[in-house]
Amino acid sequence: EIHDYLDPLPMKNPWETGGRRFRRPDAPASVNVAQYDASAVANAPHLRNLTLGPRVFPVIWHYLGVPPTLPYLLSWWSLHGRNVARDAQLFHVDSHDFKWVKLFVYLSDVDATMGPHMVVRGSHDRGKRINLLKELAAQGLEAATDLGIAIFKRQRLLDEHVEASYGPENIVSIEGRAGEAFLVDTSAIHKGLPPKTKDRLVFQALYTMMPTIKNEVSPLSLPGGY
């Protein structure tokens, strides 16, 4: 039902301001990610109920320590056959609030070749991250210094710097069947791999402590009393 609702809708490149809209079969070869409008996603069947449902909402409330705000719901296709990783397909950290967490739901099967979510275990602890990078930099590990500067400047991070600083054993690949879900504190170092064999459809909900600290938001009235 989610696919039937989303498939006819136009999408856009989220990293291109004012770009044209297109259906997935017509996506330009230069576009790695095709994203649906947030307002359309908010009205998709099942997804809104999941984000506010008893299996998810209490867990997020407990993690954040306050009743969470839900600033946006997103869904996008990561398109296969692109040769170069771009934007959020490169390692990075998010910055949404003092503390936040994201719900991801795979809406298509995702194995190692279909663009799994990658996250660096333990890198969400910003205090420990700073201490680790300081220690490694003091030992002469240039990659740690470069990684720390890139994080501070909110830049994309090089794979080799992440691996050298945290070790490849701490880079976790999250795979799953369509319908499986997971929560991530995306202040951790993370990325979505470009899919190699099939397009990947994912849903994401952001939960924050505050209504907003950096982006303008507008309340959205939804059916069902939300």
Side-chain angles (χ1 to χ4, degrees):
E1 290 178 44
I2 297 170
H3 278 260
D4 288 344
Y5 171 85
L6 291 175
D7 281 346
L9 301 179
M11 296 176 287
K12 61 182 180 180
N13 178 357
W15 311 107
E16 181 182 344
T17 303
R20 72 179 180 90
R21 296 178 181 275
F22 48 82
R23 296 279 308 284
R24 182 161 61 110
D26 305 318
S30 59
V31 174
N32 285 32
V33 171
Q35 182 174 292
Y36 295 103
D37 286 342
S39 58
V41 175
N43 285 287
H46 311 300
L47 295 177
R48 185 172 66 246
N49 289 340
L50 172 64
T51 62
L52 301 173
R55 296 181 61 191
V56 174
F57 204 72
V59 177
I60 293 167
W61 189 328
H62 177 76
Y63 183 73
L64 296 180
V66 296
T69 298
L70 190 58
Y72 64 66
L73 310 178
L74 297 177
S75 185
W76 67 89
W77 285 97
S78 297
L79 305 173
H80 79 286
R82 277 53 177 175
N83 295 323
V84 179
R86 292 187 173 94
D87 303 306
Q89 295 175 335
L90 304 170
F91 274 125
H92 62 283
V93 298
D94 293 341
S95 178
H96 293 291
D97 198 348
F98 302 107
K99 192 174 184 180
W100 68 91
V101 66
K102 289 184 178 180
L103 168 71
F104 292 86
V105 183
Y106 286 147
L107 299 178
S108 58
D109 293 342
V110 177
D111 64 17
T113 68
M114 298 179 191
H117 185 88
M118 311 291 291
V119 62
V120 180
R121 183 187 288 112
S123 63
H124 68 290
D125 189 319
R126 281 165 277 187
K128 290 183 179 180
R129 183 170 69 200
I130 291 171
N131 290 335
L132 170 66
L133 295 177
K134 283 182 177 179
E135 291 172 7
L136 294 175
Q139 296 170 18
L141 183 62
E142 186 176 343
T145 300
D146 292 339
L147 182 65
I149 292 171
I151 291 174
F152 178 77
K153 291 184 176 181
R154 302 298 179 197
Q155 297 172 337
R156 303 308 183 187
L157 314 177
L158 297 179
D159 287 12
E160 54 265 36
H161 292 172
V162 175
E163 291 182 9
S165 299
Y166 282 90
E169 70 279 4
N170 286 313
I171 301 176
V172 179
S173 173
I174 302 178
E175 303 166 21
R177 300 293 300 274
E180 293 187 338
F182 52 96
L183 293 166
V184 180
D185 179 337
T186 58
S187 62
I189 299 170
H190 65 284
K191 66 178 178 178
L193 283 182
K196 297 178 180 179
T197 55
K198 293 182 180 180
D199 295 347
R200 180 198 74 164
L201 179 63
V202 67
F203 166 75
Q204 179 197 98
L206 168 66
Y207 302 84
T208 58
M209 296 178 68
M210 306 287 287
T212 180
I213 61 171
K214 69 171 187 175
N215 299 118
E216 183 178 350
V217 296
S218 298
L220 179 64
S221 298
L222 300 172
Y226 291 99

